[in-house]
Each structure stands twice: as C-alpha cells, then as structure tokens.
Amino acid sequence: EAQVTQNPRYLITVTGKKLTVTCSQNMNHEYMSWYRQDPGLGLRQIYYSMNVEVTDKGDVPEGYKVSRKEKRNFPLILESPSPNQTSLYFCASRPLAGGDIQYFGAGTRLSVL
Amino acid sequence: QKEVEQDPGPLSVPEGAIVSLNCTYSNSAFQYFMWYRQYSRKGPELLMYTYSSGNKEDGRFTAQVDKSSKYISLFIRDSQPSDSATYLCAMSPANQAGTALIFGKGTTLSVSS
C-alpha cells in the first residue's frame, strides 16, 4: 500500500530536549516536505526537499532542522524544542513531475511543556 | 490580503443536503487547484484536483474553478454523515517545482443524520 508513515503519532516532551520525528514514504517520490498545522493558521510549510541531499526552507523553518540522506526518509529534528512548537505536524510527499498532488502522513501531535 | 481565503465555518447541514464550500485567492499565477479532506486526527487526503479553469466531477463531488474571479468551489451532493470533516482548499503555480502548496485554513463540515 502506498503511504507516508510518520512516527511517533503522539509525543510529549519538555523544553530543550532534542527530538526527531521520522517520516518515510514507499512511493519513490522525489519531493518531501514537512508542515505544521495550528488552529486559525492552517497548514504552513516548514522545510522541503526536492531530492536526496537537497533541502530548503519553507515558510516557518525557525527552530527546525531536516536531513535527506535517503530518498524514502525525511526526518524532522527539533534540537531545542520550545512550547511554541507545540503543534500537529504532517509529512507529505509527491513526485516532482505531475503537479502538486501531495500525499500526507497521519500526523504527529507534539506537546512541548 | 491573504493569498487564500476560506471561510472556516463550522457548517452544519442535514443529511441529503447540497453543500457548497468556497475559497478565494489573490495570486493569478495559481494553476493547480485541489481540495483535501481531513478527518479528525488524520492527515489530509486528496479529494479533487483541477488544473486551470473548469469543472470536474467525481461521484457526489464537483470542483469548479473560475480563474477570472479567482474563486474555487467544491459541491457535495446528497451529503452523508461520513462527509463530516474539515475541507481544505490548496493551490499552487504551474511548473514551479519546490513551490509549496498554499492552503486555505479549512472549513469544518458536519452532516447530521
């Protein structure tokens, strides 16, 4: 089954404790991205990657890092999480050709205390 | 003016009603128009996809794009309780690989039986 898999689905942590949210896709998509979704603000892109070793900032990259060492994986790293990063996070992927139809993971709900 | 405007609702209708969901946008470069459906605690899933102007029908769902008015619509006929979800419009310019989808904030729909 074609899918984007995120882990963990739920995470509660404390300020300053480094964490990684993993994302993996099995569709051989070149393009992967991370979004956060907040009430009243909608979905906002954090980072994206157009292929292995190619990453770039989205609209709200501050406080986040990403890496793309393999085509299928695109982890999101919070090196020193803060309470304003409490949010619902989605990973998405799509092929580079054929428009912008993105496939989303099920989401990771993060709470930073 | 925000790039994409979407009435957040909530919108409550009885089963069998016709539902109209709308978004307006300001960027005339947008060529790809999508509607995503997001159930509670799930990631967005693609519902309808349209390139440029016109109508597209898929079962009970019809997507319309009016580029002259910068206005897109999603119609749901014979609405069902299973249609209860948040509907997100999304759009992007053509042929700009890496450009993020711009999302509306979503309209929450509740269909009562």
Side-chain angles (χ1 to χ4, degrees):
Chain A
E1 181 190 351
Q3 58 186 5
V4 178
T5 303
Q6 293 177 229
N7 280 297
R9 292 291 314 279
Y10 303 91
L11 180 59
I12 301 174
T13 189
V14 296
T15 299
K17 185 175 182 182
K18 181 179 179 180
L19 66 91
T20 299
V21 184
T22 64
C23 173
S24 179
Q25 51 93 5
N26 63 0
M27 295 169 279
N28 202 37
H29 287 165
E30 294 87 1
Y31 185 98
M32 298 185 73
S33 61
W34 277 101
Y35 292 85
R36 59 179 290 173
Q37 187 176 39
D38 302 288
L41 296 176
L43 278 162
R44 295 178 293 167
Q45 192 181 54
I46 302 169
Y47 267 95
Y48 66 93
S49 168
M50 293 175 65
N51 218 322
V52 175
E53 302 293 0
V54 180
T55 63
D56 210 344
K57 297 177 181 178
D59 296 322
V60 288
E62 294 78 21
Y64 304 95
K65 285 178 58 176
V66 292
S67 70
R68 188 90 182 274
K69 293 184 170 51
E70 303 166 286
K71 196 173 186 179
R72 62 184 291 127
N73 296 324
F74 190 45
L76 179 69
I77 302 155
L78 285 71
E79 298 231 325
S80 183
S82 62
N84 65 10
Q85 293 177 298
T86 293
S87 187
L88 180 57
Y89 291 87
F90 290 102
C91 180
S93 75
R94 67 168 174 86
L96 267 185
D100 277 297
I101 304 170
Q102 297 201 53
Y103 299 85
F104 285 83
T108 296
R109 187 168 293 280
L110 171 65
S111 294
V112 183
L113 306 176
Chain B
Q1 181 187 10
K2 292 185 176 21
E3 272 200 294
V4 178
E5 301 267 13
Q6 183 177 8
D7 188 336
L11 184 60
S12 295
V13 301
E15 184 175 357
I18 296 174
V19 176
S20 172
L21 304 169
N22 311 294
C23 288
T24 59
Y25 64 94
S26 58
N27 188 343
S28 57
F30 288 150
Q31 295 280 1
Y32 292 102
F33 302 93
M34 284 144 272
W35 286 95
Y36 282 83
R37 178 175 60 194
Q38 185 176 17
Y39 290 115
S40 180
R41 302 183 187 281
K42 301 284 188 182
E45 58 176 339
L46 184 68
L47 191 60
M48 298 286 283
Y49 165 79
T50 309
Y51 175 71
S52 195
S53 282
N55 295 358
K56 188 171 186 177
E57 188 172 323
D58 183 3
R60 296 184 295 110
F61 298 89
T62 300
Q64 288 186 352
V65 175
D66 182 349
K67 290 187 69 182
S68 62
S69 301
K70 296 190 178 68
Y71 188 86
I72 70 170
S73 301
L74 177 71
F75 296 96
I76 307 174
R77 289 183 300 280
D78 187 26
S79 56
Q80 303 295 310
S82 58
D83 295 328
S84 298
T86 296
Y87 291 80
L88 302 156
C89 64
M91 47 198 82
S92 75
N95 297 323
Q96 292 191 22
T99 302
L101 280 179
I102 307 300
F103 285 87
K105 293 180 180 174
T107 299
T108 299
L109 171 67
S110 177
V111 181
S112 55
S113 57

